[in-house]
Amino acid sequence: MARPLVATEPSRSSTVDAAVETPRRRCQLGRRRALLGWLYATPTAAMVGLFFLVPLVLVGWMSLHRWPLLGEPKLNFPDNYTGAADNDLIRDAAWFTAKYTVVITVLLFVLAFALALLVQRRRRGVGFFRTAFILPMAVGFASASLLFLGMLSDEIGPVNKFLASLGLIDGYTSWTSGSPNSALGSAVLLVLWRFAGFMMLILLTGLQAIPVELYEAARVDGASRWQTFRQITLPLMRPTIALVLTLMITGSLLAFDQFWILTRGGPDNSTTSLVMVIYREAFVRLDLGSAAGISMLLLLVLVVFNVVQFAVLRRRSS
Amino acid sequence: MRTRAALAVLVLGLATACGSDSGGGSDGPVTLTLWTRAATEAVSKAYAEAYNKTHDNKVEVTAFPNEEYPAKLASSARSLPDLFAADVVFAPQYASQGLWLDVTDRFQGLDVKDKVAPAHVKAGTWEDRNYAVPHTIDMSVMLYNKDLYTQAGLDPNKPPATLTEFAEHARAIDKLGGDVNGTYFGGNCGGCVEFTFWPSVWAAGGAVLDDDGQNATIDSPEMAEVFALYRQLYEEGVAAPASKDEAGPTWLGALQNGKIGIAPGPSVWLGLIEEQSDVDMGVAPIPGIDGGESTFVGGDAIGIGATSENADAAWDFLAWTMSDEAQVEVIAKNKGVPTRTDLAENKYSAEDPRIVTINSLMAKGETPYARNFNASFNDPQSPWLETVRGALFGEADKALSDGNSAITESLQQGS
């Protein structure tokens, strides 16, 4: 953003200097400036266009059609959308995804914030803990899911053997598919382990951006720790919190890997997320139109959440 | 076959000698790409290796993880490999979507066409046209641990002739106690249950689907009886408790540890079980409640990718895989089931009478046929898995009748 300004600076001063400048020349300069702006924006615009706008329009277009893998698509609007409304699996998956989003957002936020507060100040050993908390990010999410599947397996995993030695469980126990709650619990545990450090990092940058003087002033005024947290930390953290919540909510609404690998959506479809249904429509039923329709509906929900987030951010900056 | 290949070599040689530089690559030897799933990789590679040794054209095999393979195919529909194999139960879906080239004329011109696994050929047929031929065969059989049979006082040479007898044997072995369990099944895996339970339904004269794969008939008394028997074995603790959650990945492992008395499973696991643990396994057909026998003829079918530019070369490979040479020297030699009914007994099968038992089952078995098979039965979110769970661990009657309508609806979707 800064470079175009620098580049156009001389032309502006020359316009001021020379009153004899013809309007034509001024117009040319303006055009050159605009062209330059366009040029600078082109790489980003091309990327956004190619990898976001084109697929988005294509998915929207697909959602209006019966779209076979090979051969000509046929317009069938609004079948893909009415079909989604009639589908029990989608209804259950939407409900589950919403429930999961609430559970994860609350737990992950509390955990990440607690970790961030814990390692906020510079003191001995804090670097070790910061590194330890962020380290799970180094494992790919799919690999992490497989890792948990192995660890929690009654057949090959160490977790059950350890719990049995403590006398906490007796005999065969399946965490990932024994009951709906334990299946959800194991996925939640995985996500907390994998993402708490990353969310902590974002919150930490927010915390460290708060000027120390404010805390000092609060201390001088005799504010308690809780009051400082309520009156200074929280309000100044609002944009960061909004960002973190948006990331968490968007990520949870798009949950796939953890359930696909860890629970396969079971037991009894109790952990089937919306993206898994989209996957099933596209790659099992080979109904690309229907998959596109559900994707558009999910996108709508995501847009609503993001609008809310922007509203919160704007309120802050004004 | 050989003379044709020799002729082709000669022609190719001449073309090269004349310095033909016409380009296009259609005249010279071609490298055919073949995609398959991990489960079939070994067989596909064995075929390719033997073919590459004796042919100018080469076949290059790429395998994909089992679960991701259907998605890989769907997302590559416009740039398919020259050849691709698929789980035989998915064949009608791929044929109906036009992912395979129509090979009707080529197949009908094959000398051995009437001896090629009929259930597989039917699965690769859509609206009376042939799209796929058998690639590998895997059938469901009863696998039993002869050592545990002896320990439990049962005759290891007398496997159960009825499903009721199977349950009695399982109970007797379960009484050995300790880590030993009578039986095992994949109670959270639609594909495992259809593969192992349906033969008992067929053996009793029942059906699972109508001929067009448009209507389910799983609410039959035959199906209810089979589920009731396995349910009881689970409730009594004769079936290992992990049977309830077995979604497929640890199924083989459970049979390999040598602690299960008798269980229905894939015939191709016979070798895998014996090489892992030092147990002597017996093989028997899967019986019906009161007798009879049947099997689920599974495995993979293969066809020519609809977008392939090397259809002739690809067919040459497919025709070769169905030849005596390939079936005996590649498949039978590696203890596989020949895709040809007339080769059930061959010079290699004679070495192991269990192989003859397996091979001879092919003619009695079935491969269910439905365009929407994957979505209705195999997928973890399928109505069939919901039915299975209900029938084994929930309200059985309701599960079967509700499931029947849900599956029928799923089968008819998109038609």
Side-chain angles (χ1 to χ4, degrees):
Chain A
M1 281 314 280
R3 291 181 71 184
L5 283 176
V6 174
T8 53
E9 210 58 46
S11 64
R12 194 188 290 167
S13 53
S14 64
T15 346
V16 179
D17 288 348
V20 285
E21 282 274 10
T22 59
R24 196 172 150 207
R25 176 149 169 71
R26 201 177 303 160
C27 182
Q28 265 177 352
L29 278 171
R31 233 183 261 155
R32 217 182 119 218
R33 214 155 87 184
L35 192 73
L36 212 60
W38 276 105
L39 264 176
Y40 281 122
T42 303
T44 313
M47 294 298 271
V48 170
L50 199 64
F51 294 109
F52 179 70
L53 284 179
V54 170
L56 181 68
V57 171
L58 186 64
V59 169
W61 184 240
M62 276 174 125
S63 75
L64 310 177
H65 293 78
R66 183 183 165 84
W67 198 285
L69 292 180
L70 288 170
E72 286 306 304
K74 277 194 210 90
L75 194 76
N76 73 345
F77 182 78
D79 289 8
N80 292 326
Y81 290 94
T82 50
D86 294 341
N87 190 329
D88 285 349
L89 189 61
I90 295 179
R91 239 190 340 261
D92 292 350
W95 171 237
F96 168 72
T97 308
K99 186 171 98 176
Y100 167 76
T101 302
V102 172
V103 170
I104 272 297
T105 307
V106 171
L107 292 180
L108 190 55
F109 181 75
V110 170
L111 182 64
F113 212 149
L115 291 179
L117 291 173
L118 213 61
V119 297
Q120 183 187 3
R121 302 270 157 72
R122 289 203 164 276
R123 63 182 86 146
R124 262 175 79 90
V126 82
F128 170 79
F129 285 103
R130 284 182 187 171
T131 314
F133 296 152
I134 201 87
L135 215 52
M137 273 306 282
V139 185
F141 194 29
S143 314
S145 305
L146 278 170
L147 188 72
F148 265 60
L149 185 68
M151 300 270 278
L152 295 173
S153 153
D154 192 79
E155 297 276 322
I156 57 170
V159 173
N160 278 7
K161 288 189 183 77
F162 175 69
L163 293 177
S165 72
L166 293 179
L168 289 174
I169 56 168
D170 184 26
Y172 170 81
T173 310
S174 167
W175 298 109
T176 51
S177 56
S179 77
N181 284 336
S182 73
L184 174 62
S186 43
V188 167
L189 198 69
L190 161 69
V191 173
L192 290 180
W193 176 77
R194 176 63 172 57
F195 288 101
F198 176 65
M199 297 299 171
M200 173 203 78
L201 191 70
I202 302 178
L203 289 167
L204 203 57
T205 55
L207 282 174
Q208 293 187 334
I210 300 174
V212 187
E213 294 79 11
L214 287 178
Y215 286 113
E216 279 167 3
R219 208 178 314 143
V220 170
D221 289 347
S224 69
R225 278 192 152 195
W226 174 242
Q227 278 172 324
T228 314
F229 180 74
R230 279 282 313 271
Q231 306 297 330
I232 296 175
T233 311
L234 270 187
L236 289 174
M237 282 288 284
R238 206 160 61 190
T240 317
I241 291 173
L243 171 68
V244 160
L245 287 181
T246 308
L247 283 176
M248 286 175 184
I249 291 170
T250 311
S252 309
L253 288 176
L254 296 177
F256 178 74
D257 310 41
Q258 61 270 50
F259 298 114
W260 179 249
I261 293 171
L262 208 55
T263 68
R264 287 251 143 208
D268 308 318
N269 287 339
S270 63
T271 58
T272 302
S273 71
L274 265 178
V275 179
M276 284 178 79
V277 180
I278 296 174
Y279 182 92
R280 174 178 151 88
E281 291 296 307
F283 299 123
V284 175
R285 294 196 49 235
L286 306 184
D287 190 342
L288 300 183
S290 161
I294 308 169
S295 303
M296 290 307 283
L297 295 175
L298 186 55
L299 180 72
L300 201 72
V301 177
L302 288 172
V303 166
V304 170
F305 274 107
N306 280 286
V307 165
V308 172
Q309 186 235 350
F310 276 124
V312 172
L313 274 179
R314 286 226 178 87
R315 203 160 49 140
R316 158 84 188 118
S317 46
S318 64
Chain B
M1 240 358 263
R2 270 204 193 122
T3 42
R4 204 194 295 167
L7 214 102
V9 170
L10 197 72
V11 170
L12 287 172
L14 279 176
T16 333
C18 296
S20 146
D21 197 16
S22 55
S26 57
D27 295 338
V30 291
T31 299
L32 299 164
T33 48
L34 187 158
W35 286 2
T36 190
R37 55 181 177 143
T40 319
E41 185 180 2
V43 184
S44 303
K45 284 198 164 151
Y47 273 133
E49 199 182 316
Y51 182 82
N52 292 349
K53 268 187 198 152
T54 51
H55 293 74
D56 266 7
N57 291 340
K58 302 292 174 223
V59 176
E60 210 176 78
V61 177
T62 309
F64 296 90
N66 296 340
E67 271 98 21
E68 319 313 328
Y69 187 50
K72 176 68 192 164
L73 286 176
S75 56
S76 314
R78 285 162 208 260
S79 54
L80 290 164
D82 295 312
L83 293 150
F84 73 88
D87 190 330
V88 65
V89 290
F90 301 171
Q93 189 184 22
Y94 295 146
S96 74
Q97 290 271 344
L99 296 188
W100 278 318
L101 210 66
D102 183 339
V103 290
T104 313
D105 298 337
R106 290 180 167 107
F107 182 70
Q108 295 306 326
L110 205 64
D111 296 341
V112 292
K113 71 173 158 61
D114 297 323
K115 294 162 189 161
V116 175
H120 268 233
V121 172
K122 194 198 165 207
T125 305
W126 178 253
E127 292 176 343
D128 296 326
R129 307 292 294 174
N130 301 102
Y131 291 89
V133 297
H135 188 53
T136 66
I137 299 225
D138 181 16
M139 288 183 295
S140 47
V141 289
M142 281 292 179
L143 298 166
Y144 65 98
N145 186 324
K146 288 191 170 183
D147 304 335
L148 292 179
Y149 257 63
T150 313
Q151 284 176 40
L154 297 163
D155 182 351
N157 295 314
K158 263 187 79 182
T162 68
L163 203 62
T164 316
E165 213 180 325
F166 149 80
E168 284 162 15
H169 289 187
R171 285 187 186 105
I173 293 165
D174 195 63
K175 286 207 181 90
L176 292 171
D179 293 350
V180 173
N181 275 107
T183 190
Y184 194 80
F185 56 83
N188 194 16
C189 164
C192 312
V193 173
E194 76 210 18
F195 192 63
T196 52
F197 289 19
W198 289 2
S200 296
V201 176
W202 292 327
V208 176
L209 288 168
D210 63 0
D211 284 348
D212 301 330
Q214 292 280 313
N215 291 285
T217 52
I218 59 151
D219 52 353
S220 65
E222 291 89 354
M223 183 71 80
E225 273 181 333
V226 172
F227 270 119
L229 183 133
Y230 280 98
R231 181 186 177 115
Q232 206 180 345
L233 290 177
Y234 174 76
E235 283 171 357
E236 290 169 8
V238 173
S243 302
K244 183 178 180 181
D245 307 313
E246 179 56 75
T250 48
W251 190 17
L252 172 62
L255 299 185
Q256 270 177 331
N257 69 15
K259 308 278 196 232
I260 302 293
I262 176 166
S267 59
V268 292
W269 284 359
L270 179 60
L272 296 176
I273 293 173
E274 287 189 334
E275 81 188 26
Q276 188 74 23
S277 55
D278 201 18
V279 290
D280 190 9
M281 296 298 291
V283 169
I286 296 179
I289 290 279
D290 300 316
E293 57 191 43
S294 187
T295 186
F296 190 121
V297 186
D300 284 19
I302 188 167
I304 302 171
T307 52
S308 168
E309 286 171 2
N310 301 310
D312 288 333
W315 177 256
D316 183 69
F317 171 72
L318 292 187
W320 174 83
T321 62
M322 290 178 275
S323 67
D324 288 30
E325 181 195 342
Q327 287 304 309
V328 175
E329 294 304 328
V330 178
I331 299 301
K333 193 178 176 185
N334 292 314
K335 294 194 169 186
V337 180
T339 63
R340 292 251 308 274
T341 48
D342 58 328
L343 296 175
E345 277 182 64
N346 53 63
K347 67 178 185 188
Y348 294 107
S349 69
E351 291 167 12
D352 189 342
R354 298 177 305 181
I355 305 281
V356 182
T357 308
I358 295 172
N359 291 357
S360 59
L361 272 172
M362 189 166 74
K364 298 174 194 163
E366 294 192 34
T367 303
Y369 181 89
R371 181 174 49 93
N372 289 344
F373 197 88
N374 191 9
S376 309
F377 293 103
N378 277 36
D379 185 53
Q381 276 71 49
S382 67
W384 164 248
L385 183 58
E386 213 176 326
T387 309
V388 167
R389 302 278 299 173
L392 288 171
F393 315 112
E395 287 177 64
D397 294 344
K398 189 174 175 313
L400 288 174
S401 64
D402 287 359
N404 202 61
S405 9
I407 292 168
T408 298
E409 193 189 322
S410 165
L411 288 169
Q412 293 175 355
Q413 236 164 26
S415 56

